[in-house]
Amino acid sequence: MSSLFYPREARCKICNSPLRDEIDEMLLGNHCKDDGSRWRMEEIVDWGRERGLHTSIAALSRHKNNHLNPAIQAALETERMVEAISQATGRKLSVARAYANAVLAKTLRVLDDLDWQSLDDNQRLRAIDRGLRAGEVLSRLERADVRLEVAAKVEQTLSEAGAGAEIIRRVREIYGLE
Ligand SMILES: [Zn+2]
């Protein structure tokens, strides 16, 4: 499974550590100790400390339950969805594109629910940002063409809603296109 799908929690040390991928593999049991047994929580904490990551069992549990497991669930759901769409349509849909579509749908839903005209520019930007962060994924998508496609759809929606050039520019920034 690709780390593409693992959103980062801003305040979680483990999410933001360069050791994260390895720690996640240990927590999932995909990576075992030399003797073939699974890493225990306190051993992972020690392993991290030796490499400069100072964390605790409590923080590690929090990361596992609140950040890692939901991300795995979301990834599995996406895989199932991609599989279902492929079977129904006979067309291959890339996981990146399927995920981008899901995030886009969420973003547009957030925008739809707003009384757009009554907001000032900053509030509008925050709303867009929130919609995008709901997925917290697009900026990490390696497929720039998919990002571009999603950004274009959001831009079109925003233009129709009367958003100015500055907002559109910031949206492109959020998508990592500027
Ligand atoms: Zn975390």
mmCIF file of all heavy atoms in Angstrom, residues 86-118:
data_model
loop_
_atom_site.group_PDB
_atom_site.id
_atom_site.type_symbol
_atom_site.label_atom_id
_atom_site.label_comp_id
_atom_site.label_asym_id
_atom_site.label_seq_id
_atom_site.Cartn_x
_atom_site.Cartn_y
_atom_site.Cartn_z
ATOM 1 N N SER A 86 -13.877 -0.290 -11.898
ATOM 2 C CA SER A 86 -13.246 -0.987 -13.014
ATOM 3 C C SER A 86 -14.134 -2.113 -13.514
ATOM 4 O O SER A 86 -14.295 -2.302 -14.717
ATOM 5 C CB SER A 86 -11.890 -1.570 -12.588
ATOM 6 O OG SER A 86 -11.026 -0.543 -12.199
ATOM 7 N N GLN A 87 -14.717 -2.858 -12.575
ATOM 8 C CA GLN A 87 -15.559 -3.976 -12.974
ATOM 9 C C GLN A 87 -16.848 -3.497 -13.642
ATOM 10 O O GLN A 87 -17.304 -4.093 -14.616
ATOM 11 C CB GLN A 87 -15.887 -4.854 -11.757
ATOM 12 C CG GLN A 87 -14.707 -5.739 -11.391
ATOM 13 C CD GLN A 87 -15.045 -6.754 -10.327
ATOM 14 O OE1 GLN A 87 -16.178 -6.790 -9.839
ATOM 15 N NE2 GLN A 87 -14.070 -7.564 -9.968
ATOM 16 N N ALA A 88 -17.419 -2.431 -13.107
ATOM 17 C CA ALA A 88 -18.694 -1.951 -13.630
ATOM 18 C C ALA A 88 -18.547 -1.346 -15.022
ATOM 19 O O ALA A 88 -19.411 -1.487 -15.871
ATOM 20 C CB ALA A 88 -19.313 -0.941 -12.673
ATOM 21 N N THR A 89 -17.431 -0.655 -15.238
ATOM 22 C CA THR A 89 -17.292 0.080 -16.493
ATOM 23 C C THR A 89 -16.368 -0.625 -17.468
ATOM 24 O O THR A 89 -16.303 -0.257 -18.641
ATOM 25 C CB THR A 89 -16.707 1.482 -16.240
ATOM 26 O OG1 THR A 89 -15.402 1.324 -15.677
ATOM 27 C CG2 THR A 89 -17.571 2.275 -15.286
ATOM 28 N N GLY A 90 -15.633 -1.611 -16.981
ATOM 29 C CA GLY A 90 -14.660 -2.266 -17.838
ATOM 30 C C GLY A 90 -13.463 -1.371 -18.119
ATOM 31 O O GLY A 90 -12.599 -1.683 -18.912
ATOM 32 N N ARG A 91 -13.412 -0.215 -17.427
ATOM 33 C CA ARG A 91 -12.285 0.704 -17.630
ATOM 34 C C ARG A 91 -11.372 0.701 -16.425
ATOM 35 O O ARG A 91 -11.825 0.612 -15.292
ATOM 36 C CB ARG A 91 -12.799 2.125 -17.856
ATOM 37 C CG ARG A 91 -13.187 2.399 -19.294
ATOM 38 C CD ARG A 91 -13.915 3.721 -19.385
ATOM 39 N NE ARG A 91 -13.221 4.809 -18.703
ATOM 40 C CZ ARG A 91 -13.824 5.907 -18.290
ATOM 41 N NH1 ARG A 91 -15.106 6.066 -18.445
ATOM 42 N NH2 ARG A 91 -13.138 6.854 -17.710
ATOM 43 N N LYS A 92 -10.105 0.824 -16.695
ATOM 44 C CA LYS A 92 -9.148 0.916 -15.593
ATOM 45 C C LYS A 92 -9.067 2.368 -15.129
ATOM 46 O O LYS A 92 -8.865 3.274 -15.911
ATOM 47 C CB LYS A 92 -7.762 0.449 -16.056
ATOM 48 C CG LYS A 92 -7.625 -1.048 -16.076
ATOM 49 C CD LYS A 92 -7.043 -1.541 -14.750
ATOM 50 C CE LYS A 92 -7.095 -3.071 -14.672
ATOM 51 N NZ LYS A 92 -7.897 -3.595 -13.591
ATOM 52 N N LEU A 93 -9.275 2.533 -13.828
ATOM 53 C CA LEU A 93 -9.193 3.865 -13.242
ATOM 54 C C LEU A 93 -8.019 3.824 -12.272
ATOM 55 O O LEU A 93 -7.955 2.931 -11.445
ATOM 56 C CB LEU A 93 -10.493 4.136 -12.490
ATOM 57 C CG LEU A 93 -10.709 5.470 -11.829
ATOM 58 C CD1 LEU A 93 -10.897 6.560 -12.867
ATOM 59 C CD2 LEU A 93 -11.940 5.408 -10.934
ATOM 60 N N SER A 94 -7.113 4.773 -12.384
ATOM 61 C CA SER A 94 -5.977 4.721 -11.468
ATOM 62 C C SER A 94 -6.432 5.092 -10.066
ATOM 63 O O SER A 94 -7.396 5.831 -9.875
ATOM 64 C CB SER A 94 -4.864 5.658 -11.930
ATOM 65 O OG SER A 94 -5.181 6.978 -11.572
ATOM 66 N N VAL A 95 -5.739 4.558 -9.080
ATOM 67 C CA VAL A 95 -6.069 4.855 -7.685
ATOM 68 C C VAL A 95 -5.919 6.346 -7.422
ATOM 69 O O VAL A 95 -6.741 6.957 -6.741
ATOM 70 C CB VAL A 95 -5.169 4.036 -6.734
ATOM 71 C CG1 VAL A 95 -5.405 4.448 -5.291
ATOM 72 C CG2 VAL A 95 -5.437 2.550 -6.911
ATOM 73 N N ALA A 96 -4.871 6.934 -8.009
ATOM 74 C CA ALA A 96 -4.643 8.372 -7.811
ATOM 75 C C ALA A 96 -5.851 9.173 -8.296
ATOM 76 O O ALA A 96 -6.332 10.082 -7.633
ATOM 77 C CB ALA A 96 -3.390 8.821 -8.558
ATOM 78 N N ARG A 97 -6.365 8.795 -9.471
ATOM 79 C CA ARG A 97 -7.486 9.526 -10.037
ATOM 80 C C ARG A 97 -8.760 9.314 -9.205
ATOM 81 O O ARG A 97 -9.519 10.245 -8.959
ATOM 82 C CB ARG A 97 -7.715 9.089 -11.474
ATOM 83 C CG ARG A 97 -8.681 9.961 -12.248
ATOM 84 C CD ARG A 97 -8.666 9.582 -13.717
ATOM 85 N NE ARG A 97 -7.333 9.756 -14.291
ATOM 86 C CZ ARG A 97 -6.871 10.913 -14.731
ATOM 87 N NH1 ARG A 97 -7.615 11.988 -14.688
ATOM 88 N NH2 ARG A 97 -5.666 11.008 -15.231
ATOM 89 N N ALA A 98 -8.972 8.085 -8.774
ATOM 90 C CA ALA A 98 -10.152 7.801 -7.950
ATOM 91 C C ALA A 98 -10.114 8.605 -6.656
ATOM 92 O O ALA A 98 -11.109 9.189 -6.234
ATOM 93 C CB ALA A 98 -10.216 6.305 -7.637
ATOM 94 N N TYR A 99 -8.937 8.661 -6.057
ATOM 95 C CA TYR A 99 -8.819 9.394 -4.803
ATOM 96 C C TYR A 99 -9.014 10.885 -5.040
ATOM 97 O O TYR A 99 -9.692 11.558 -4.277
ATOM 98 C CB TYR A 99 -7.464 9.116 -4.149
ATOM 99 C CG TYR A 99 -7.555 9.203 -2.661
ATOM 100 C CD1 TYR A 99 -8.089 8.133 -1.932
ATOM 101 C CD2 TYR A 99 -7.173 10.346 -1.981
ATOM 102 C CE1 TYR A 99 -8.220 8.220 -0.568
ATOM 103 C CE2 TYR A 99 -7.305 10.428 -0.611
ATOM 104 C CZ TYR A 99 -7.824 9.365 0.092
ATOM 105 O OH TYR A 99 -7.973 9.452 1.439
ATOM 106 N N ALA A 100 -8.426 11.386 -6.131
ATOM 107 C CA ALA A 100 -8.584 12.803 -6.470
ATOM 108 C C ALA A 100 -10.057 13.131 -6.660
ATOM 109 O O ALA A 100 -10.547 14.167 -6.201
ATOM 110 C CB ALA A 100 -7.794 13.131 -7.738
ATOM 111 N N ASN A 101 -10.794 12.231 -7.304
ATOM 112 C CA ASN A 101 -12.226 12.451 -7.508
ATOM 113 C C ASN A 101 -12.965 12.540 -6.179
ATOM 114 O O ASN A 101 -13.853 13.371 -6.000
ATOM 115 C CB ASN A 101 -12.828 11.318 -8.344
ATOM 116 C CG ASN A 101 -12.478 11.454 -9.815
ATOM 117 O OD1 ASN A 101 -12.088 12.524 -10.257
ATOM 118 N ND2 ASN A 101 -12.593 10.374 -10.554
ATOM 119 N N ALA A 102 -12.599 11.662 -5.242
ATOM 120 C CA ALA A 102 -13.254 11.654 -3.938
ATOM 121 C C ALA A 102 -12.984 12.965 -3.197
ATOM 122 O O ALA A 102 -13.887 13.556 -2.595
ATOM 123 C CB ALA A 102 -12.774 10.458 -3.114
ATOM 124 N N VAL A 103 -11.734 13.431 -3.260
ATOM 125 C CA VAL A 103 -11.382 14.682 -2.575
ATOM 126 C C VAL A 103 -12.088 15.863 -3.232
ATOM 127 O O VAL A 103 -12.620 16.749 -2.562
ATOM 128 C CB VAL A 103 -9.851 14.908 -2.593
ATOM 129 C CG1 VAL A 103 -9.500 16.274 -2.013
ATOM 130 C CG2 VAL A 103 -9.155 13.808 -1.807
ATOM 131 N N LEU A 104 -12.125 15.835 -4.550
ATOM 132 C CA LEU A 104 -12.797 16.904 -5.284
ATOM 133 C C LEU A 104 -14.276 16.975 -4.890
ATOM 134 O O LEU A 104 -14.810 18.052 -4.621
ATOM 135 C CB LEU A 104 -12.674 16.670 -6.789
ATOM 136 C CG LEU A 104 -13.472 17.629 -7.669
ATOM 137 C CD1 LEU A 104 -12.924 19.052 -7.520
ATOM 138 C CD2 LEU A 104 -13.427 17.210 -9.129
ATOM 139 N N ALA A 105 -14.924 15.803 -4.831
ATOM 140 C CA ALA A 105 -16.340 15.776 -4.477
ATOM 141 C C ALA A 105 -16.553 16.396 -3.100
ATOM 142 O O ALA A 105 -17.486 17.164 -2.879
ATOM 143 C CB ALA A 105 -16.848 14.333 -4.501
ATOM 144 N N LYS A 106 -15.641 16.080 -2.183
ATOM 145 C CA LYS A 106 -15.741 16.610 -0.824
ATOM 146 C C LYS A 106 -15.563 18.126 -0.834
ATOM 147 O O LYS A 106 -16.299 18.852 -0.170
ATOM 148 C CB LYS A 106 -14.650 15.967 0.034
ATOM 149 C CG LYS A 106 -15.012 15.805 1.471
ATOM 150 C CD LYS A 106 -14.026 14.850 2.116
ATOM 151 C CE LYS A 106 -14.559 14.300 3.410
ATOM 152 N NZ LYS A 106 -13.709 13.223 3.938
ATOM 153 N N THR A 107 -14.578 18.597 -1.584
ATOM 154 C CA THR A 107 -14.303 20.028 -1.661
ATOM 155 C C THR A 107 -15.515 20.782 -2.209
ATOM 156 O O THR A 107 -15.944 21.789 -1.654
ATOM 157 C CB THR A 107 -13.091 20.294 -2.576
ATOM 158 O OG1 THR A 107 -11.984 19.556 -2.085
ATOM 159 C CG2 THR A 107 -12.745 21.767 -2.599
ATOM 160 N N LEU A 108 -16.057 20.265 -3.288
ATOM 161 C CA LEU A 108 -17.187 20.952 -3.911
ATOM 162 C C LEU A 108 -18.403 20.939 -2.987
ATOM 163 O O LEU A 108 -19.184 21.884 -2.974
ATOM 164 C CB LEU A 108 -17.521 20.292 -5.258
ATOM 165 C CG LEU A 108 -16.426 20.433 -6.321
ATOM 166 C CD1 LEU A 108 -16.845 19.779 -7.626
ATOM 167 C CD2 LEU A 108 -16.053 21.893 -6.556
ATOM 168 N N ARG A 109 -18.528 19.885 -2.184
ATOM 169 C CA ARG A 109 -19.639 19.825 -1.234
ATOM 170 C C ARG A 109 -19.496 20.912 -0.175
ATOM 171 O O ARG A 109 -20.455 21.591 0.173
ATOM 172 C CB ARG A 109 -19.705 18.442 -0.582
ATOM 173 C CG ARG A 109 -21.117 17.920 -0.529
ATOM 174 C CD ARG A 109 -21.288 16.476 -0.111
ATOM 175 N NE ARG A 109 -20.212 15.854 0.591
ATOM 176 C CZ ARG A 109 -19.491 14.839 0.098
ATOM 177 N NH1 ARG A 109 -19.726 14.394 -1.110
ATOM 178 N NH2 ARG A 109 -18.548 14.288 0.814
ATOM 179 N N VAL A 110 -18.262 21.080 0.321
ATOM 180 C CA VAL A 110 -18.014 22.141 1.308
ATOM 181 C C VAL A 110 -18.372 23.494 0.706
ATOM 182 O O VAL A 110 -19.044 24.327 1.323
ATOM 183 C CB VAL A 110 -16.537 22.133 1.773
ATOM 184 C CG1 VAL A 110 -16.211 23.380 2.578
ATOM 185 C CG2 VAL A 110 -16.250 20.882 2.602
ATOM 186 N N LEU A 111 -17.937 23.728 -0.536
ATOM 187 C CA LEU A 111 -18.192 25.011 -1.198
ATOM 188 C C LEU A 111 -19.691 25.219 -1.428
ATOM 189 O O LEU A 111 -20.217 26.326 -1.282
ATOM 190 C CB LEU A 111 -17.445 25.085 -2.529
ATOM 191 C CG LEU A 111 -15.917 25.057 -2.429
ATOM 192 C CD1 LEU A 111 -15.289 25.034 -3.809
ATOM 193 C CD2 LEU A 111 -15.403 26.241 -1.627
ATOM 194 N N ASP A 112 -20.369 24.149 -1.789
ATOM 195 C CA ASP A 112 -21.814 24.217 -2.048
ATOM 196 C C ASP A 112 -22.604 24.636 -0.820
ATOM 197 O O ASP A 112 -23.612 25.328 -0.914
ATOM 198 C CB ASP A 112 -22.332 22.837 -2.482
ATOM 199 C CG ASP A 112 -22.343 22.731 -3.998
ATOM 200 O OD1 ASP A 112 -22.054 23.749 -4.643
ATOM 201 O OD2 ASP A 112 -22.648 21.641 -4.502
ATOM 202 N N ASP A 113 -22.135 24.167 0.348
ATOM 203 C CA ASP A 113 -22.873 24.405 1.586
ATOM 204 C C ASP A 113 -22.725 25.841 2.083
ATOM 205 O O ASP A 113 -23.386 26.243 3.025
ATOM 206 C CB ASP A 113 -22.395 23.442 2.682
ATOM 207 C CG ASP A 113 -22.850 22.018 2.409
ATOM 208 O OD1 ASP A 113 -23.743 21.854 1.559
ATOM 209 O OD2 ASP A 113 -22.313 21.081 3.033
ATOM 210 N N LEU A 114 -21.844 26.598 1.465
ATOM 211 C CA LEU A 114 -21.565 27.942 1.969
ATOM 212 C C LEU A 114 -22.473 28.991 1.355
ATOM 213 O O LEU A 114 -22.876 28.869 0.201
ATOM 214 C CB LEU A 114 -20.128 28.329 1.617
ATOM 215 C CG LEU A 114 -19.037 27.627 2.384
ATOM 216 C CD1 LEU A 114 -17.695 27.989 1.783
ATOM 217 C CD2 LEU A 114 -19.082 28.027 3.841
ATOM 218 N N ASP A 115 -22.730 30.033 2.138
ATOM 219 C CA ASP A 115 -23.370 31.208 1.572
ATOM 220 C C ASP A 115 -22.242 32.086 1.032
ATOM 221 O O ASP A 115 -21.780 33.013 1.680
ATOM 222 C CB ASP A 115 -24.170 31.945 2.652
ATOM 223 C CG ASP A 115 -24.883 33.156 2.072
ATOM 224 O OD1 ASP A 115 -24.859 33.325 0.822
ATOM 225 O OD2 ASP A 115 -25.428 33.934 2.856
ATOM 226 N N TRP A 116 -21.785 31.720 -0.154
ATOM 227 C CA TRP A 116 -20.545 32.235 -0.722
ATOM 228 C C TRP A 116 -20.499 33.755 -0.747
ATOM 229 O O TRP A 116 -19.499 34.380 -0.408
ATOM 230 C CB TRP A 116 -20.416 31.664 -2.139
ATOM 231 C CG TRP A 116 -19.106 31.924 -2.785
ATOM 232 C CD1 TRP A 116 -18.850 32.823 -3.742
ATOM 233 C CD2 TRP A 116 -17.868 31.277 -2.473
ATOM 234 N NE1 TRP A 116 -17.517 32.791 -4.076
ATOM 235 C CE2 TRP A 116 -16.903 31.865 -3.309
ATOM 236 C CE3 TRP A 116 -17.488 30.286 -1.582
ATOM 237 C CZ2 TRP A 116 -15.573 31.467 -3.265
ATOM 238 C CZ3 TRP A 116 -16.167 29.896 -1.546
ATOM 239 C CH2 TRP A 116 -15.231 30.481 -2.381
ATOM 240 N N GLN A 117 -21.606 34.389 -1.187
ATOM 241 C CA GLN A 117 -21.617 35.844 -1.386
ATOM 242 C C GLN A 117 -21.447 36.626 -0.080
ATOM 243 O O GLN A 117 -20.998 37.763 -0.092
ATOM 244 C CB GLN A 117 -22.918 36.285 -2.072
ATOM 245 C CG GLN A 117 -23.117 35.686 -3.467
ATOM 246 C CD GLN A 117 -21.914 35.914 -4.384
ATOM 247 O OE1 GLN A 117 -21.217 36.920 -4.265
ATOM 248 N NE2 GLN A 117 -21.657 34.972 -5.285
ATOM 249 N N SER A 118 -21.811 36.001 1.051
ATOM 250 C CA SER A 118 -21.746 36.742 2.303
ATOM 251 C C SER A 118 -20.366 36.674 2.952
ATOM 252 O O SER A 118 -20.120 37.301 3.980
ATOM 253 C CB SER A 118 -22.797 36.201 3.281
ATOM 254 O OG SER A 118 -22.396 34.930 3.732
#
